[in-house]
């Protein structure tokens, strides 16, 4: 290669490879997201800020030079490479800074990315001024307007990272999304598709295309400006007006796309994928419009941001990129029509299968569905998107082979486009796609059948010695507020009973179980019918969601002339199928060892003052004692929620994502604010953002506050926030222990086939285990290891839900004790200038917390217990192993 060619080659590699690298990183993150901070935010921005912004920068310059007939020289290509590098480095710094809470990195990264795009805009202005007048000069105007949006949007994004009130965050987030999605991306895409759309369809463009694009630009730019101004000022009607103007500009511009589509149709994957992307963009805009029109708070945009991000990142951005690159890469590789067709054939492989799986799968994911169904469907969608990468590799190889064959053998016979088109859109691919989606749904339901109301082995209502009358009694029942209305149904003996159940609760899922018949678990607003069969005796139905029956969700079904039924389990306050609820604790599993141990170490404080955390609610089997497993309701899949750590004055921005099967919420004791909105219960599939400022020191509890609260806490939905008091001295080891109670269904169990939470034992205050950090005796198996003379601090929180704790270390004495915001004993502060007292326990009631400090005088094994000794014997026990 010549010296002159090297810069061009380097620039081409940057152009072709960087976007693919960001996309590959996003795909990898979908696999490991549970172990990466702010993974949802990161996945979205790897696609939008990473891959899509890179492509917008590169291809807008390419199309501008092409349309202006002003190809770049060697120096211009070098400068383009620098701009690409600046954008890439800036994006990388933002990707590191936000999850790891380094605001200065976010600011530096946003500044570098903005500088690259502003330089790009200046280059386009310079190029346009030096070019001769020509058609489609307006496309470059689109690119310049788009480039001016990104720096403002990036500045708003960096401001979002600094911590704001809910209302301010919602307003700035709306403006940020508008500038970056509708401005930087949207204007670039609309400008490009004026000429690129008919090129992909391989047909003539609409003769009106240039005029329509020129007329639409003021509407698009003006509408965007009004939308952003309305959002920043908090004026929803103004923001809605701006959004409507923007949509009007899109509709006017979109007329130029219709005629080429009608003339040629969709014959290749590339235009079909781009068209699907545009449809999802319209869906996203309509969604934002509905939010602005129907909700009274800007925070509603924040709450819906994760779902909107999925629409724009997967439905719009990923499909737009894959569609455009499927056309551009073979064309830019060049080599003549035969070579291009050889590469293009690979990009068109399984086209209909991929399109159906991605678009139908995303639609299914957006609908109310159990968490495991969403997991399996989204995994299939990711697989369909990921197929682009191996197809890209094969397409490049096919182009290279065709180029070699052309050089040695000359041109071969022309392809048969009609036959290729038939293969592209074959019905077999559609059937295969639907089959794959049905299989994903089936697997999701199979993992958690109760979430869709599949019946269990409960006993059916007795119809013994009763002759069916042939009549049907049909009753409408409403579930709301932990009760059924009506709560009592009278049925003639021998009638078939059909109950039409409607869930009128705004946030919480409910169902109805009568014998072996059960409705699906109904999300808010849903309705289902339950056929209870022929009723021969009075019986009782209830909601099977854990804890709901105990709170009164019982439906009495009474045969005319009989008294209501009271089953033995009901008389004891029990649940059918649990057996005798208070027959004693589940015994230990002999010789069992834990598969994993929760790390109790408190991570040191960093420099960040704004902490962003995503807490995803999941329902997963976890080990609660050696060899004993239970289905736990978790924050981020852990035995105890992650410990948050900060100082007084720090801001915590917590995103709660409900991937469970019922409603959940969150309550942070570390913040003082009205609970109405941030602590509300959200149904499955939704999210909310909870912002709080830590104004006082303490170890504070957070937990799910959805009723019955005792069940949600006992099932695992609790954690700690450590806000250090000012001047807290350093220690050699700092640990966090959260004490809580575990209530296991009373059945023999020694496998990973997990038990459920036993609500009756919770109400009777009879735990099977009392645990530190969610698992009984785990720190006996893996002790705390310290050396003689080292200072150790134990932060302790009693999460309950019911029992107190008396934290004690056998053989140790505490010289410092701090409880609920104040020192009760402080090292070095005694009556004579030195501490002359000690403490033996840290006493805590449920939801109280504090810390103690001590040193160990000699080597040995020091037991750690709750001195409520029956609880130590239930598992609130650990060991400190001290060495020299």
């Amino acid at each position: 290669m010549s010296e002159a060619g090297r810069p061009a080659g380097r620039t081409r590699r940057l152009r072709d490879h960087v976007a693919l690298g960001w996309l590959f990183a996003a795909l990898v993150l979908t696999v490991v997201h549970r172990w990466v901070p702010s993974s949802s935010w990161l996945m979205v921005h790897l696609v939008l800020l990473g891959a899509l912004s890179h492509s917008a920068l590169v291809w807008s310059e390419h199309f501008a030079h092409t349309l202006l007939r002003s190809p770049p020289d060697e120096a211009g290509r070098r400068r383009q490479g620098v701009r690409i590098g600046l954008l890439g480095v800036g994006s990388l710094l933002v990707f590191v800074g936000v999850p790891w809470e380094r605001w200065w990195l976010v600011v530096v990264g946003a500044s570098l990315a903005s500088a690259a795009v502003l330089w790009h805009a200046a280059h386009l202005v310079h190029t346009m001024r030096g070019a001769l007048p020509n058609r489609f000069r307006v496309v470059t105007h689109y690119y310049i307007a788009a480039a001016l949006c990104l720096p403002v949007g990036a500045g708003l994004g960096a401001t979002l990272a600094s911590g704001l009130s809910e209302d301010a965050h919602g307003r700035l987030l709306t403006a940020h999304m508008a500038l970056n999605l509708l401005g930087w991306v949207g204007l670039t895409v609309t400008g490009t598709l004026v000429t690129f759309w008919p090129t992909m369809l391989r047909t003539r463009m609409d003769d009106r295309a240039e005029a329509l694009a020129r007329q639409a630009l003021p509407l698009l730019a003006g509408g965007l400006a009004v939308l952003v101004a309305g959002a920043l000022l908090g004026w929803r009607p103004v923001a809605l007006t701006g959004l409507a103007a923007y949509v009007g500009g899109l509709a006017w511009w979109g007329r130029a796309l219709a005629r080429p589509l009608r003339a040629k149709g969709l014959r290749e994957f590339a235009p079909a994928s781009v068209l699907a992307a545009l449809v999802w963009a319209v869906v996203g805009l309509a969604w934002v419009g509905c939010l602005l029109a129907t909700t009274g708070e800007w925070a509603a945009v924040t709450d819906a941001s994760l779902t909107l991000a999925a629409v724009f990142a997967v439905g719009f951005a990923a499909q737009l990129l894959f569609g455009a690159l499927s056309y551009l890469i073979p064309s830019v590789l060049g080599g003549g029509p035969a070579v291009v067709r050889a590469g293009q054939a690979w990009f068109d492989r399984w086209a209909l299968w991929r399109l159906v799986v991605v678009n139908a799968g995303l639609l299914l994911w957006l609908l109310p569905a159990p968490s495991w169904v969403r997991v399996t469907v989204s995994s299939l969608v990711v697989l369909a998107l990921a197929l682009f990468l191996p197809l890209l590799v094969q397409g490049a190889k096919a182009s290279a082979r065709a180029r070699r064959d052309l050089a040695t053998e000359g041109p071969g016979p022309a392809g048969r486009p009609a036959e290729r088109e038939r293969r592209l859109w074959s019905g077999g691919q559609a059937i295969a796609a639907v089959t794959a989606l049905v299989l994903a749904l089936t697997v999701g339901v199979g993992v958690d059948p109760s979430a869709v109301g599949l019946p269990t082995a409960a006993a059916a209502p007795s119809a013994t010695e009763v002759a069916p009358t042939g009549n049907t009694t049909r009753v409408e029942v409403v579930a709301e507020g932990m009760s059924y209305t009506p709560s009592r149904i009278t049925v003639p003996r021998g009638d078939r009973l059909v109950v039409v159940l409607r869930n009128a609760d705004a946030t919480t899922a409910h169902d109805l179980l009568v014998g072996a018949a059960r409705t699906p678990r109904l999300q808010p607003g849903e309705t289902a019918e339950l056929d209870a069969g022929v009723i021969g005796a009075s019986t009782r139905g209830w909601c099977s969601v854990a804890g709901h029956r105990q709170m009164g969700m019982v439906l009495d079904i009474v045969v005319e002339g009989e008294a209501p039924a009271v089953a033995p389990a009901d008389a004891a306050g029990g649940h059918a199928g649990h057996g005798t609820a208070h027959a004693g604790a589940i015994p230990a599993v002999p010789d069992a060892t834990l598969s994993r141990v929760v790390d109790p170490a408190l991570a040191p404080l960093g420099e960040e003052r704004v902490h962003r955390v995503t807490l995803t609610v999941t329902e997963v089997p976890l080990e609660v004692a050696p060899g004993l497993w239970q289905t736990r309701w978790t924050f981020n899949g852990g035995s105890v929620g992650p410990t948050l750590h900060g100082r007084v004055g720090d801001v915590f921005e917590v995103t709660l994502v409900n991937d469970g099967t019922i409603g959940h919420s969150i309550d942070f004791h570390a913040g003082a604010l009205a609970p109405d909105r941030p602590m509300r219960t959200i149904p499955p599939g939704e999210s909310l953002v909870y912002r709080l400022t830590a104004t006082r020191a303490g170890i504070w509890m957070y937990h799910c506050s959805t009723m019955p609260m005792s069940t949600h806490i006992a099932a695992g939905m609790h954690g700690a926030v450590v806000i250090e008091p000012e001047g807290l001295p350093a220690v050699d080891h700092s640990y966090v222990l959260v004490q809580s109670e575990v209530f296991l269904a009373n059945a023999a169990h020694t496998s990973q086939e997990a038990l459920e939470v036993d609500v009756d034992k919770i109400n009777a205050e009879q735990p099977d285990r009392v645990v530190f950090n969610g698992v009984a005796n785990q720190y006996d198996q893996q002790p705390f290891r310290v050396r003689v003379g080292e200072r150790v601090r134990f932060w302790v929180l009693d999460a309950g839900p019911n029992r107190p704790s008396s934290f004690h270390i056998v053989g140790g004495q505490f010289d410092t004790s701090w409880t609920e915001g104040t020192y009760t004993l402080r090292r070095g502060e005694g009556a004579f200038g030195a501490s002359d007292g000690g403490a033996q326990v840290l006493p805590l009631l449920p939801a109280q917390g504090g810390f103690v400090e001590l040193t160990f005088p000699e080597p040995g094994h020091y037991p750690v217990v709750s001195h409520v000794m029956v609880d130590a014997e239930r598992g609130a026990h650990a060991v400190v192993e001290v060495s020299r």
Side-chain angles (χ1 to χ4, degrees):
M1 180 180 290
S2 67
E3 290 296 322
R6 284 175 186 166
R10 285 196 292 270
T11 301
R12 185 174 295 114
R13 286 192 293 275
L14 283 171
R15 180 191 66 196
D16 296 338
H17 296 166
V18 174
L20 296 176
W22 291 131
L23 289 171
F24 181 75
L27 291 171
V28 171
L29 190 58
T30 61
V31 178
V32 301
H33 67 278
R34 291 196 181 277
W35 300 278
V36 178
S38 302
S39 57
S40 298
W41 179 93
L42 194 52
M43 284 187 283
V44 169
H45 284 77
L46 280 168
V47 175
L48 296 177
L49 174 59
L52 195 57
S53 289
H54 170 85
S55 297
L57 183 76
V58 168
W59 293 106
S60 60
E61 182 165 343
H62 170 79
F63 282 109
H65 280 293
T66 301
L67 293 171
L68 295 172
R69 297 186 177 89
S70 177
D73 56 14
E74 178 184 330
R77 285 192 291 269
R78 281 199 299 266
R79 288 191 293 271
Q80 183 191 23
V82 175
R83 288 192 290 272
I84 293 171
L86 270 178
L87 178 63
V89 171
S91 301
L92 181 62
L93 292 178
V94 172
F95 297 153
V96 173
V98 170
W100 279 271
E101 301 176 357
R102 300 294 188 270
W103 190 63
W104 67 271
L105 277 181
V106 178
V107 172
V108 172
S111 300
L112 291 178
S114 299
V117 174
L118 284 175
W119 186 5
H120 168 72
H123 171 71
L124 294 180
V125 170
H126 176 75
T127 302
M128 188 171 62
R129 286 178 176 173
L132 295 173
N134 63 337
R135 288 188 72 198
F136 296 106
R137 196 179 183 89
V138 68
V139 171
T140 307
H141 294 161
Y142 272 82
Y143 295 155
I144 295 169
L148 296 177
C149 293
L150 181 70
V152 183
L156 293 176
T159 305
L160 288 170
S162 66
L164 300 164
S165 67
E166 276 201 351
D167 182 74
H169 190 276
R171 291 188 284 112
L172 262 68
L173 179 62
T174 303
H176 167 72
M177 291 192 303
L179 285 164
N180 287 357
L181 276 173
L182 308 187
W184 166 236
V185 174
L187 292 178
T188 301
V189 170
T190 50
T192 300
L193 288 180
V194 171
T195 57
F196 188 47
W197 176 248
T199 303
M200 282 194 297
L201 292 172
R202 306 184 194 277
T203 187
R204 289 183 67 253
M205 71 176 62
D206 192 321
D207 294 333
R208 305 168 299 167
E210 182 186 12
L212 291 173
R214 191 168 53 251
Q215 294 158 7
L217 182 57
L219 264 178
L220 293 167
L224 179 61
V226 172
L227 169 58
V228 171
L232 292 176
L233 295 172
W235 298 342
R236 281 195 311 280
V238 173
L240 265 172
T241 301
L243 182 62
Y246 187 93
V247 171
L250 281 180
W252 191 259
W253 159 86
R255 297 163 64 200
L257 275 60
R259 188 172 294 175
L261 180 61
R262 287 196 302 269
K264 197 71 171 181
L266 297 173
R267 301 186 178 186
E268 298 178 36
F269 171 78
S273 185
V274 170
L275 182 61
L278 296 179
V279 170
W280 281 110
V282 171
V283 170
L285 290 175
W287 199 324
V288 173
C290 288
L291 287 173
L292 294 177
T294 60
T295 59
E297 298 176 336
W298 287 96
V301 177
T302 304
D303 294 342
S305 59
L306 287 179
T307 308
L308 284 169
V311 169
F312 283 112
V314 178
F316 171 64
Q319 292 199 103
L320 178 77
L321 273 172
F322 290 152
L325 293 176
S326 294
Y327 180 88
L328 286 168
I329 289 176
S331 300
V332 171
L333 288 175
V339 176
V340 171
R341 282 197 302 270
Q344 188 74 56
W346 276 97
F347 286 96
D348 287 339
R349 293 283 181 98
W350 308 303
L352 186 57
W353 186 91
R354 289 188 281 155
L355 288 166
V356 171
V357 166
V358 170
N359 291 282
L362 179 55
L363 181 61
L364 288 171
W365 185 86
L366 291 171
L367 296 175
S371 60
W372 274 106
V373 170
R374 292 163 64 89
V375 168
T376 53
V377 169
S378 60
S379 299
L380 183 62
V381 171
V382 169
L383 173 64
L385 292 171
L387 281 175
F388 175 82
L389 297 177
L391 293 176
L392 167 64
V393 174
Q394 294 300 322
K397 290 181 178 179
S399 295
R401 285 194 301 270
R403 188 177 290 106
R404 288 196 301 270
D405 293 343
L406 187 65
T408 57
E409 302 174 9
R416 300 171 62 183
E419 180 182 347
R420 180 162 154 262
E421 184 181 328
R422 283 195 297 272
R423 290 198 305 270
L424 187 66
W425 306 119
S426 68
Q429 289 192 42
I431 294 171
V434 172
T435 302
L437 288 167
V438 170
L439 180 61
L441 288 169
T442 304
V443 171
V445 171
V447 173
D448 186 12
S450 64
V452 293
L454 294 182
T456 59
S462 175
T464 306
E465 299 178 358
V466 60
T469 63
N471 297 326
T472 298
T473 297
R474 188 179 181 88
V475 182
E476 293 188 2
V477 175
V478 176
E480 185 175 18
M482 297 299 167
S483 65
Y484 294 115
T485 305
S487 61
R488 175 170 172 163
I489 300 170
T490 301
V491 185
R493 185 186 301 275
D495 271 18
R496 178 176 294 276
L497 174 63
V498 175
V499 178
V500 180
L501 180 67
R502 178 171 64 88
N503 183 7
D505 233 322
T507 58
T508 303
H510 296 293
D511 62 13
L512 175 61
L513 172 67
V514 180
R518 179 162 60 181
T519 68
R521 188 163 289 177
L522 303 180
Q523 299 304 323
E526 293 185 338
T527 300
E529 288 191 5
L530 179 142
D531 187 344
V534 175
I535 303 300
S538 297
T539 186
R540 174 168 282 186
W542 55 81
C543 180
S544 70
V545 176
H548 288 197
R549 182 185 184 189
Q550 285 72 14
M551 293 193 68
M553 290 207 74
V554 175
L555 179 67
D556 285 314
I557 301 169
V558 181
V559 170
E560 288 180 349
E562 289 188 1
V566 180
D570 294 324
H575 188 296
H578 281 180
T580 305
H582 307 145
I586 304 297
V589 178
D591 302 322
T593 58
L594 294 166
S595 58
R596 61 183 293 270
V597 172
V598 177
D599 184 1
L602 178 64
L605 280 173
E607 297 299 322
E608 65 275 7
R609 302 307 302 268
V610 178
H611 308 266
R612 284 181 176 76
V613 182
T614 298
L615 297 179
T616 302
V617 177
T618 57
E619 299 164 12
V620 295
L622 292 174
E623 211 166 3
V624 294
L628 287 175
W629 294 74
Q630 184 181 47
T631 299
R632 302 289 283 172
W633 305 350
T634 75
F635 294 118
N636 290 359
S639 300
V640 65
T643 298
L644 311 185
H645 192 193
R647 306 174 180 84
V648 173
D650 282 7
V651 174
F652 291 84
E653 180 184 298
V654 181
T655 301
L656 177 69
V657 180
N658 188 356
D659 274 353
T661 60
I662 61 175
H664 291 290
S665 59
I666 195 161
D667 172 5
F668 277 91
H669 295 188
L673 70 171
D676 306 61
R677 181 173 179 82
M679 301 182 198
R680 70 190 186 277
T681 296
I682 58 173
E686 292 195 6
S687 63
L688 63 79
V689 177
Y690 189 131
R691 285 181 190 79
L692 61 97
T693 300
T695 57
R696 293 179 173 87
I699 174 167
W700 304 90
M701 182 177 176
Y702 68 85
H703 60 91
C704 180
S705 57
T706 298
M707 297 302 288
M709 204 180 302
S710 58
T711 301
H712 288 249
I713 294 173
M717 302 191 73
H718 56 261
V721 181
V722 175
I723 305 299
E724 293 191 1
E726 187 176 356
L728 186 66
V731 293
D732 297 296
H733 302 277
S734 186
Y735 300 110
V736 176
L737 294 180
V738 179
Q739 178 179 308
S740 61
E741 300 139 42
V742 174
F743 303 83
L744 298 167
N746 196 3
H749 186 79
T750 57
S751 73
Q752 193 172 337
E753 190 176 328
L755 298 168
E756 299 297 326
V757 62
D758 193 317
V759 180
D760 303 324
K761 290 182 180 180
I762 296 174
N763 292 337
E765 299 185 29
Q766 293 188 347
D768 293 281
R769 298 290 187 274
V770 178
V771 300
F772 292 140
N773 291 342
V775 186
N777 300 105
Q778 62 178 320
Y779 305 118
D780 292 326
Q781 178 176 312
Q782 186 172 307
F784 306 100
R785 291 185 171 88
V786 304
R787 295 181 181 276
V788 171
E790 288 184 329
R791 175 155 292 274
V792 184
R793 178 180 296 135
F794 283 94
W795 292 88
V796 186
L797 173 71
D798 184 356
N802 302 318
R803 299 186 64 76
S805 178
S806 182
F807 185 78
H808 172 69
I809 298 181
V810 179
Q813 293 180 333
F814 306 135
D815 60 21
T816 300
S817 179
W818 188 92
T819 309
E820 289 293 286
T822 188
Y823 284 96
T824 58
L825 175 69
R826 193 166 187 173
R827 174 169 50 107
E829 294 186 3
F832 302 102
S835 178
D836 56 1
Q840 56 198 310
V841 297
L842 176 65
L844 301 171
L845 293 173
Q848 284 191 321
F851 70 79
V852 290
E853 295 178 10
L854 76 165
T855 58
F856 295 93
E858 58 184 6
H861 294 80
Y862 296 74
V864 179
V865 298
S866 169
H867 221 287
V868 181
M869 291 311 301
V870 66
D871 289 344
E873 293 159 4
R874 286 168 168 157
H877 189 284
V879 171
V880 180
E881 183 181 292
V882 181
S883 61
R884 290 203 181 276

